[in-house]
């Protein structure tokens, strides 16, 4: 199959390309322009050019190895035959109207899958928003402005293109990006089991974030996950009865979550229950060393949010071990008169020595993961220097939860990110990010 | 008691005011300056002025009715005696070191409470970050930059000042504000039962958002909630064992959540389990008409996020009734060929008629609450006109979940907010906002 043509095509045929703004074939042309490979707008009814690319009337007139198919379902058998004859190795099918709709649609999906298999064409879709690989300036999608999403180290594989797009835009909005985002759609011959290993081999992907509605090849998918070295976080949708809606969406079987959850927890995979949790867990796993255990050291400058975080983390299986006598002595010295200075350590307010407290807790041998919460104060700032030293000298996850006046703290937040301290901006997001790390160590215990 | 002196003081004594940046008494002076009443920095060890206000050496030399006490605990009995003699009706005690620490602290708290009660002084605190009332330009807190928080219609009453500050800054960051934010701290003689009725009477407060760690007067608090006309959303912390940390924080008893949850659900109060949920529920309840029932009409332009939202809402007790034949006919006409057009209604992609679909569903008599999800596309925009008409003509909550390129959608998002359509920016936040509305109707069924 042409999986490599999906990941790094030399030439791209946009079948059904259009000059008319708002049309799928025009939106797809808009997004794919930035790619450095050859671009061929294919449309027998069009002449002239679109965005400077000359129309051709057939894929046979191109040197493409990837086709972005912007045509309706009924046209696809012919288009795919033509693609196969032209030696194209991968095709993206945006159109819906297949197995997710009715028996006729399922029949049509079978037909195009057989054609694709005959020519060994890797089919992404049908019924997908497509995929993007920002570091290649590759945006194979009709979604307007998706080409504004930048490069990051989170690889998203979403059964729903809409969810993949939603997650990628949220990362972008919050200042991050993706290494790749794949919307799988109906998974005619390419699904989780094919894409995950490719991302596992991609040096730019430091975590794989999955959105799963349900798959027929669940054993296979779970086995692939087990054999993946890159950390994985998975969001399996469907606590309640949403089976008919799911079936109508990506033609997925209606599957409860238990089978996945049991397998994931046994395999030490992290799980999420929302898009926000998925991307936060992704960032946390991508940017942190693997922790040795579930022992959290929490340092907070404000008790109330610290109590919330403690509560969330206990629900997530965190342990809050006692600090060693040596650490406790250091902390006691700094926090003379403060009320709650055992782990969790509450400094009462931000203070000049706040970074020293974080440092002492992070170096404690009883602690596997450090989480910090502090409302920003201009006159003190955040302990960026101490955190930079820690990130260099201590091989443990250290995460920072910011709060307060956002503009004031933005610079120091970015500095912390740059030295490898993932930051989060609400108590629950910081806690969820740590929960993902705790999930990831279950297997090694 | 001088509750009214807390809510609209004529003159304010800042006891322990300081010229030294970074000191509590300087931070408090910085924030209180914008208030139009008289400001009196009180400090017998200082002379000259701070921010243009002349120091006085005693509260007896002022016409203050509110004292912001920036002095350590041991100084407070004398300060409060002096305040009482001077006729001051309300005092905020920032200092910690009272009942949350040890027996001596509890003794000191008893002493200051007795003094306050003798003079009928309303005490906010001790052990609080203070309170703010932005529409009065009143910022009675030492927290730097808290005076950047603007006026909104959510009134926050937080047992932890740190949580109140965190929530208020999050609202600010996201473009909203608060009508007031009270950090209660140890609640020496003023707690939920005293502040809630004041906010209930405040025409600027359209919802009261509570953060509760635990209270001795739980029956009283629940009764006050029951008698409040303004919608309430409550976040009771403590699913797990966090009792010792809670006790050390605001001297609160260790209480499980069940008692609160049972009472709240019986009373038709909404509940939250995070700061984000608290503020989203607050915005939703503040800006929406009260729904008649839990029947949700979901209109989504993308199936995947729509499935998630359906899943969350079913967990929250939502019903997804069939649309009336008349509505379904309209929807079928617009969405010919689309797969899932019964409630939830999936339009497959954004489309020019998207607003018409929302309109049809919102006018359906089977529907009590409408939630919309749509990834933004420039060429189509959001259905602002249709939503404006709906907000004028249909007396039901209509909420909109935005996604996509944030800068592109910002203007239209603001336009929707302005016509009374609350907007949220992730699938789970939109769903949680609706869940709060569903909670609020339980009592009327």
């Amino acid at each position: 199959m042409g999986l490599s043509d999906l990941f790094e095509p030399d030439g791209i045929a946009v079948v059904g390309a259009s000059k008319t703004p708002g049309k799928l074939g025009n939106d797809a042309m808009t997004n794919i322009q930035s790619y450095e490979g050859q671009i061929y707008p294919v449309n027998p009814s069009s002449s002239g050019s679109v965005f400077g690319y000359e129309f051709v009337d057939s894929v046979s007139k191109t040197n493409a190895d990837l086709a972005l198919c912007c045509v309706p379902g009924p046209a696809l058998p012919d288009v795919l035959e033509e693609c196969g004859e032209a030696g194209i190795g991968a095709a993206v099918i945006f159109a819906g109207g297949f197995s997710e709709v009715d028996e006729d649609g399922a029949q049509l999906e079978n037909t195009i899958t057989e054609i694709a298999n005959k020519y060994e064409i890797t089919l992404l879709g049908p019924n997908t928003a497509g995929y993007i690989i920002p570091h290649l300036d590759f945006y194979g999608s009709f979604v307007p402005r998706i080409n504004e999403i930048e490069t990051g180290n989170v690889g998203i594989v979403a059964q729903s293109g809409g969810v993949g797009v939603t997650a990628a835009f949220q990362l972008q909005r919050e200042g991050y990006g993706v290494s790749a985002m794949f919307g799988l759609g109906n998974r005619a011959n390419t699904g989780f089991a094919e894409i995950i290993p490719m991302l596992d081999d991609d040096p730019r992907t430091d975590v794989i974030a999955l959105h799963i509605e349900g798959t027929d090849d669940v054993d296979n998918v779970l086995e692939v996950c087990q054999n993946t070295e890159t950390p994985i976080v998975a969001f399996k949708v469907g606590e309640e009865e949403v089976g008919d809606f799911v079936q109508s969406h990506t033609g997925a079987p209606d599957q409860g979550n238990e089978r996945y959850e049991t397998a994931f927890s046994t395999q030490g995979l992290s799980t999420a229950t929302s898009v926000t949790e998925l991307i936060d867990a992704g960032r946390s796993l991508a940017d942190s060393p693997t922790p040795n255990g579930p022992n959290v050291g929490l340092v907070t400058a404000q008790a109330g949010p610290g109590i919330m975080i403690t509560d969330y983390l206990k629900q997530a299986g965190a342990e809050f071990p006692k600090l060693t006598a040596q650490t406790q002595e250091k902390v006691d010295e700094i926090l003379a008169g403060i009320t709650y200075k055992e782990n969790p350590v509450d400094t009462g307010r931000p203070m000049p020595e706040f970074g020293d407290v974080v440092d002492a807790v992070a170096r404690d041998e009883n602690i596997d993961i450090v989480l910090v919460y502090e409302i920003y104060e201009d006159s003190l700032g955040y302990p960026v220097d101490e955190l930079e030293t820690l990130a260099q000298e201590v091989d443990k996850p250290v995460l920072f939860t910011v709060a307060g006046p956002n503009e004031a703290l933005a610079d120091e937040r970015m500095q912390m990110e740059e030295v490898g301290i993932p930051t989060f901006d609400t108590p629950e997001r910081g806690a969820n990010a740590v929960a993902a790390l705790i999930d990831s160590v279950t297997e090694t215990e």
Side-chain angles (χ1 to χ4, degrees), chain A residues 5 27 33 59 65 82 119 142 195 205-206 239 292 335-336 346 358 371 409 411:
Chain A
D5 293 325
D27 288 336
Q33 287 179 78
V59 288
D65 35 23
E82 211 174 340
Y119 290 105
F142 58 81
I195 302 296
T205 298
D206 292 332
E239 285 294 330
N292 290 325
L335 300 180
D346 168 20
V358 175
L371 181 62
L409 62 84
D411 283 353

Side-chain angles (χ1 to χ4, degrees), chain A residues 25-39:
Chain A
N26 188 267
D27 288 336
M29 279 301 299
T30 303
N31 288 330
I32 202 65
Q33 287 179 78
S34 54
Y35 188 64
E36 68 166 6
Q38 277 293 313
I39 312 289

Side-chain angles (χ1 to χ4, degrees), chain A residues 22 414 417:
Chain A
M414 196 174 299
E417 296 268 346

Side-chain angles (χ1 to χ4, degrees), chain A residues 216-287:
Chain A
D216 284 317
D217 57 341
V218 51
D219 289 328
N220 191 21
V221 171
L222 292 172
E223 195 186 328
V224 166
C225 288
Q226 190 152 27
N227 293 327
T228 301
E229 281 181 34
T230 309
I232 293 179
V233 52
F235 174 14
K236 168 69 177 72
V237 180
E239 285 294 330
E240 295 282 323
E241 282 296 324
V242 289
D244 53 344
F245 196 178
V246 164
Q247 206 285 327
S248 79
H249 177 212
T250 51
D254 179 19
Q255 295 174 325
N257 289 0
E258 278 162 41
R259 185 166 176 197
Y260 291 88
E261 280 167 4
T262 306
F264 289 151
S265 93
T266 312
Q267 295 178 19
L269 262 59
S270 304
T271 54
T273 62
S274 72
V275 171
T276 303
E277 280 185 31
L278 187 70
I279 68 175
D280 286 352
R283 287 179 44 226
S284 167
L285 292 165
D287 296 335

Side-chain angles (χ1 to χ4, degrees), chain A residues 5 15 23 28 60 75 91 115 134 187 205 253-254 292 390 416:
Chain A
D5 293 325
V15 182
K23 283 203 136 187
S60 64
I115 298 169
R187 296 149 295 119
T205 298
D254 179 19
N292 290 325
L390 272 180
M416 291 193 284

Side-chain angles (χ1 to χ4, degrees), chain A residues 77-348:
Chain A
D78 288 347
V79 165
L80 284 174
E81 282 285 352
E82 211 174 340
C83 286
E85 292 294 338
I88 281 176
V92 182
I93 316 273
F94 299 127
F98 294 89
S99 61
E100 84 280 12
V101 181
D102 55 18
E103 199 42 53
D104 287 352
Q107 190 52 52
L108 182 59
E109 188 166 317
N110 279 341
T111 304
I112 65 167
T113 307
E114 278 166 21
I115 298 169
N117 289 345
K118 179 174 72 178
Y119 290 105
E120 297 190 343
I121 297 172
T122 291
L123 273 195
L124 191 70
N127 192 18
T128 178
Y131 72 110
I132 67 175
I133 308 177
H135 79 267
L136 299 177
D137 294 319
F138 179 93
Y139 298 92
S141 171
F142 58 81
V143 175
R145 292 187 185 242
I146 201 166
N147 55 354
E148 294 174 11
I149 293 171
E150 288 171 12
T151 299
N153 58 0
V154 178
I156 298 172
V157 187
Q159 187 155 347
S160 156
V163 170
V165 169
T166 296
F169 271 124
Q170 187 174 349
L171 279 164
Q172 170 77 352
R173 177 171 88 224
E174 298 183 351
Y176 309 97
V178 299
S179 60
M181 186 287 288
F182 283 83
L184 299 179
N186 293 12
R187 296 149 295 119
N189 73 10
T190 308
F192 292 104
E194 288 73 32
I195 302 296
I196 290 170
M198 297 295 288
L199 290 179
D200 192 25
D201 286 343
D202 172 23
R204 284 182 183 78
T205 298
D206 292 332
V207 68
I208 302 172
L210 306 180
H211 162 260
I212 304 172
E213 292 182 343
T215 64
D216 284 317
D217 57 341
V218 51
D219 289 328
N220 191 21
V221 171
L222 292 172
E223 195 186 328
V224 166
C225 288
Q226 190 152 27
N227 293 327
T228 301
E229 281 181 34
T230 309
I232 293 179
V233 52
F235 174 14
K236 168 69 177 72
V237 180
E239 285 294 330
E240 295 282 323
E241 282 296 324
V242 289
D244 53 344
F245 196 178
V246 164
Q247 206 285 327
S248 79
H249 177 212
T250 51
D254 179 19
Q255 295 174 325
N257 289 0
E258 278 162 41
R259 185 166 176 197
Y260 291 88
E261 280 167 4
T262 306
F264 289 151
S265 93
T266 312
Q267 295 178 19
L269 262 59
S270 304
T271 54
T273 62
S274 72
V275 171
T276 303
E277 280 185 31
L278 187 70
I279 68 175
D280 286 352
R283 287 179 44 226
S284 167
L285 292 165
D287 296 335
S288 302
T290 306
N292 290 325
N295 298 298
V296 175
L298 174 63
V299 181
T300 183
Q302 283 83 21
I307 289 168
M308 278 179 203
I309 290 172
T310 306
D311 194 22
Y312 295 133
L313 285 176
K314 285 189 172 180
Q315 290 173 55
E319 300 290 335
F320 289 87
K322 269 190 176 307
L323 303 173
T324 63
Q326 197 192 350
T327 309
Q328 194 62 58
E329 198 177 320
K330 258 189 227 168
V331 170
D332 287 351
E333 207 171 292
I334 301 171
L335 300 180
I338 298 286
T339 60
Y340 206 83
K341 55 197 176 186
E342 297 183 11
N343 186 22
V345 179
D346 168 20
T347 70

